[in-house]
Amino acid sequence: MRTEQPKMIYLKDYQAPEYLIDETHLTFELFDDHSLVHAQLVMRRNPARGSGLPPLVLDGQLLELLSVKLADVDLTSSDYELTPDSLTVQPTSDTFTLDTSVKIHPETNTALEGLYKSSGMFCTQCEAEGFRKITYYLDRPDVMSTFTTTVIANQQDFPILLSNGNLVGSGPGKDGRHWITWQDPFKKPAYLFALVAGDLWCIEDTFTTMTNRKVTLRIYVEQENIDKCQHAMDSLKKSMRWDEEVYGREYDLDIFMIVAVNDFNMGAMENKGLNIFNSSAVLARAETATDAAHQRVEAIVAHEYFHNWSGNRVTCRDWFQLSLKEGFTVFRDAGFSSDMNSATVKRIQDVAYLRTHQFAEDAGPMAHAVRPDSFIEISNFYTLTVYEKGSEVVGMIHTLLGAEGFRKGSDLYFERHDGQAVTCDDFVKAMEDANGVDLTQFKRWYSQAGTPRLAVTESYDPSANTYSLTFRQSAPTTPGQPGDEKKPFVIPVSLGLLDNAGKEIPLRLQGEATASGSSRVISVTEAEQTFTFVDVAEQPLPSLLRGFSAPVKLSFPYNRDQLMFLMQHDTDGFNRWDAGQQLSVQVLQELIAQHQKGKNLVMDQRLVTALGTVLADDSLDQAMVAEMLSLPGEAYLTEISEVADVDAIHAAREFARQQLASSLSDALWKRYQTNRELSKKTAYVAESEHFARRALQNIALSYLMLTGKPEVLAAAIEQFDNADNMTERLTALAVLVNSPFEDEKAKALAVFAENFKENALVMDQWFSVQAGSTLPGGLARVKALMEHPAFTLKNPNKVRALIGAFAGQNLINFHAADGSGYRFLADLVIELNGFNPQIASRQLAPLTRWRKYDSARQALMKGELERIRASGHLSPDVYEVLSKSLA
Ligand code: B3K
Ligand code: ZN
């Protein structure tokens, strides 16, 4: 690890590469205790950089250079310069070849970046800058090359050898080895390179594209998982069809492969033609994966597949443009999931996630623009801002242009930039050119960080029948960007006005000849702006930011009765849910204040009435009912607090849940029993109607358990014992784990672990359920679980399941006033920093939010951050997060 201080890299310093690589020929010789990589690069001077032949500086890290040949001439060590990060040679002509051989050690690579071994198989992860750990290269996304890859390995241990593109040859080698050659005709940056070698099984299918080409589809897994691939295969085929129908995008190679690996730093990776997935994002079947896991698999398969166009065919010029591919691809996968399931429920879940987690990031020390202008370690910028807010930004363009205009823009973008490495500006330009619009002001969403606030006030003039809404936008200060220097955003606000009967009023703005519909989008473009509607015969109730049409914090002085009215009457499903959330927030904040003043908690019964009405409405989508019954989480209540009072938030929310459980227990019990009975009679299907039924059944059970009634305990045990699917079984386990029934809890945990001890992904669920239990003693339970034979810090899924779930979701235990949770996390980050910097840096996130808490906790959290900083050699990943958090 480096000792010098890592450097900041700036977007403003971007320069095109001095040299280009037209062809990349790689040969991998894989052995047990090392591997050899031979690279031949066909290179030329980049004409865009002018004349002359500057030194050629190749990226390379942790490589043992064995030989280097420039233009067919062997170089000796005096002919090149070697640093821990680079190899520099001096070309003597405009075009030349460069041959290198290096030795690397995948077998000891614990950072899971570059070429590494996982459960006995070789695999790669190159995005963003992992390829430089494989061979010397121009490891930057604007250097695009064709790749020919030969892999040589022992045939018995590694019968399957894969790389990008199409298979072009194979044969036997010496000493029980064999070779296979793959060729990828599409130019791509090195971050999309992939290699896999292992003893793998696969399921195979075919897909016929819109121009009638037959594509082979394969999903490779370890033998024992071969029965858990069908859902991913179905998802892949649906994604391929959807991208043809909705975006006109056809797949381009003869084969598309997915490989599942157990040790993976994130969800999955879109390598050209050879996606590599965390096994948690591939494997799903009823008995072992929940409904949420099935939906996650479907979404990630789609996301990675969609990258074939948004990311691979058209890629990023530099890593500051990461959202060009990520924001757009998240937007695309969200569209797909909405079409496959309930669109409203998908939107609700995405917005709840964004508001809880991205808003917190945007308000913390790591806040950055969707297109950041500087970074130390790019791995730290695979963030909710780049992904989720980036998707919202693309979504706003969609809202402003309409579906047809957006499609014209995306067609132009793909056609104009096919085979190129481009910028966010190029994306917006295509949208502008295809639609004849000017999005200059809109582009501030890419450069200004922080969640804008939009305060709305109303005034009604009964004599003139006019109704005015005044919007005031402001942006918070974020690191390096003072709030008062930020310029107004373009904020598309989708809205409607409801009359006293709950009917939509036709909307005509002053100056318009006729009304245009009853729900429409207005663009707020100024710091303060008033819109006046005419022909409004009575004081209306506004429904604002329908479908969450912009990622802002909107406030309007609704009273609780108005929110209840919107919950029942709004024609926008998302806003019905949101009205319920706002009502819950008001009620919970009142309880939080009571708790802080040491008063007895008394809950506003209107929340009971409102949720009781929802629960009684059989016509509502059951998934909607389940969403509406879910109170805002503690993390969200933290995010919206000026200073988060951990104890008061927890006490208030638990009190509200108790109240709802006892007041609504009859209705909940009825819903529970009906759905559980149906479940018993119906075979598991991974479809939205079934997800909805189980979601309502399960939230009902978790409320009911709070009543402590014996018949509910019996029901939970019955569901745990007899469920034919993981969704019901895991919920039953979770409610038992969070209950006071110690014997039943211990028994269920033991039975579950015994039944699933061979299945790592199921054991992850078992760890998470316990890590999330808010009962006292959380840290001790987590520490004990770290000693369990199924736990290892070396596997990122395990770290996330136990440590991530504890620090991120079990707020009352993690934020224990004595600082024990903070100390525990800091110790782990120090340990993880030593062998997997990316995971270490991710786990650090909860400590970076120290400004949200009371002064005692602030001091404890900061103290731990400082302790990590002083702990020795820090990876750039951890160094960057620490230095920004303590700045
Ligand atoms: N593009 C990858 C993420 C790579 C993260 C590297 N640290 C997965 C995705 O967004 O599809
Ligand atoms: Zn992606």
Side-chain angles (χ1 to χ4, degrees), residues 270 303-304 307 325-326 329 387:
E270 70 264 24
H303 179 98
E304 306 310 332
H307 268 314
K325 73 177 177 79
E326 295 305 345
T329 305
Y387 277 67

Side-chain angles (χ1 to χ4, degrees), residues 187 230 241 369 480 484 785 847 860:
K187 283 190 169 240
Q230 193 55 45
R241 189 61 73 216
D484 53 15
L785 285 167
L847 285 174
L860 290 165

